[in-house]
Amino acid sequence: MDFIDYYKTLGIDKKATPDEVKKAYRKLARKYHPDLNPEDESAKKRFQEINEAHEVLSDPEKRKKYDLHGKEWAHADAAGAQRGNQRSRAGQSAYGQGFSGAGQGGGFDEYDFSDFFSSMFGGDGPAGNRGGSRRGFRGQDINAAFSLQLREAYTTHKQVFTVNGKNIRITIPAGVEDGQTIKLSGHGGGGVNGGPAGDLYITFKIQPDPDFKRIGHDLHATFDLPLYTAVLGGDILVSTMDGKVKLKVKPETQNGTKVKLKGKGFPIYKKENFGDLYITYDVKIPTGLSEEEKKLFSELSKLNPHGNS
């Protein structure tokens, strides 16, 4: 039988603590459990290898022998007995217990993983312990992406979506961010052998809005400001996420001027506060001027030939 590096099988260091051995085993056993991979023979074999490694490394005495004797660890007691001419039928069973391949051909070269662990997992192998206790495993976690419009993320609301054929209704708090992930405990894959269900992780993808740009908790928007209003000043109505508000424009407002509407931005996740809304004025030059309008602009230019310089 070729040497099997049990530490490598579990992906741990030789100095791993018992807790680290257990943690690594449970993680891999969940991943490769036959009930979760019914059509994958390679996963079944991997599962058996993982369990064999755990059986040895989780037992202090077996681990000590394995570390000391390596490949021949299982024969260590028997070798000592042979040297003292004390090998007996009882002695053979002492070092062979739990290994279904022992006693046939004088060694362990032909034992099968499934035989070795049938007593642990209630299998049908030659160990013959059918119906034994089976270890429960936690179900797999599920990751799902969910798309939201920016205006949907502005308010707390309920959404229904389907995962693994099941409809799940959740309440989405206002202010959820793009790329934010929330966990729904117990809504992942079903447990194995009575184990608990896994968790569902939902990552939100917030779609861009044609009118507002979100930066952190603030919103940014552009408002087309008529030239006459920019020059003379006046009142305008601008849109926010929750309706329109009136703003007073100062006379001689320059193109690109930015004003802040405090508390009119995006809600802060699971808080009652809001960010701010920033409005940038885009002064629009009139087109299609009549001859009279052109004349008036010409007269204005004569009154102020140097403009604002």
Side-chain angles (χ1 to χ4, degrees), residues 5-253:
D5 188 336
Y6 292 142
Y7 293 101
K8 185 176 180 180
T9 299
L10 294 183
I12 57 176
D13 187 79
K14 289 187 177 182
K15 296 181 180 180
T17 65
D19 284 343
E20 290 173 333
V21 171
K22 181 179 179 181
K23 183 178 180 180
Y25 161 70
R26 292 186 66 82
K27 179 180 179 181
L28 293 172
R30 278 200 305 270
K31 181 178 180 181
Y32 293 101
H33 196 287
D35 289 350
L36 298 176
N37 305 274
E39 306 298 328
D40 191 342
E41 288 298 321
S42 63
K44 180 179 179 181
K45 181 179 180 182
R46 183 83 171 97
F47 178 72
Q48 293 167 343
E49 294 171 347
I50 292 164
N51 278 293
E52 178 175 342
H54 176 257
E55 171 70 7
V56 174
L57 299 184
S58 64
D59 185 307
E61 289 299 320
K62 291 180 181 178
R63 182 175 180 178
K64 183 178 180 180
K65 293 178 183 178
Y66 175 77
D67 290 341
L68 184 62
H69 299 287
K71 177 180 178 180
E72 303 299 329
W73 75 271
H75 303 273
D77 292 343
Q82 286 178 333
R83 285 193 294 269
N85 291 320
Q86 296 176 353
R87 181 170 183 175
S88 64
R89 186 173 182 178
Q92 293 173 9
S93 63
Y95 71 79
Q97 58 183 351
F99 291 79
S100 60
Q104 300 179 10
F108 288 78
D109 292 348
E110 297 180 4
Y111 80 85
D112 183 52
F113 288 114
S114 60
D115 297 343
F116 186 76
F117 291 101
S118 60
S119 62
M120 293 176 59
F121 294 91
D124 299 329
N129 186 22
R130 301 185 184 185
S133 61
R134 295 173 65 86
R135 189 187 302 264
F137 290 95
R138 181 178 178 274
Q140 291 183 326
D141 292 335
I142 296 177
N143 293 284
F146 193 72
S147 179
L148 282 179
Q149 298 298 319
L150 183 64
R151 293 175 187 269
E152 291 179 311
Y154 182 80
T155 59
T156 297
H157 66 287
K158 296 183 182 297
Q159 287 270 12
V160 177
F161 61 100
T162 304
V163 176
N164 277 1
K166 294 194 307 182
N167 290 330
I168 301 176
R169 185 176 185 179
I170 65 171
T171 298
I172 302 176
V176 66
E177 298 184 16
D178 183 45
Q180 182 174 344
T181 299
I182 64 173
K183 181 178 77 172
L184 299 181
S185 299
H187 285 278
V192 178
N193 300 330
D199 298 327
L200 171 62
Y201 292 87
I202 302 175
T203 300
F204 291 99
K205 184 66 177 177
I206 310 299
Q207 301 302 316
D209 186 88
D211 300 319
F212 298 96
K213 181 178 181 180
R214 180 184 181 184
I215 302 178
H217 304 308
D218 297 327
L219 290 175
H220 295 256
T222 300
F223 183 85
D224 291 341
L225 187 66
L227 174 64
Y228 309 114
T229 305
V231 173
L232 302 174
D235 294 333
I236 59 173
L237 288 177
V238 298
S239 297
T240 70
M241 276 284 189
D242 60 357
K244 291 182 178 294
V245 297
K246 181 185 289 188
L247 286 182
K248 183 175 290 293
V249 179
K250 296 179 179 180
E252 301 179 7
T253 293

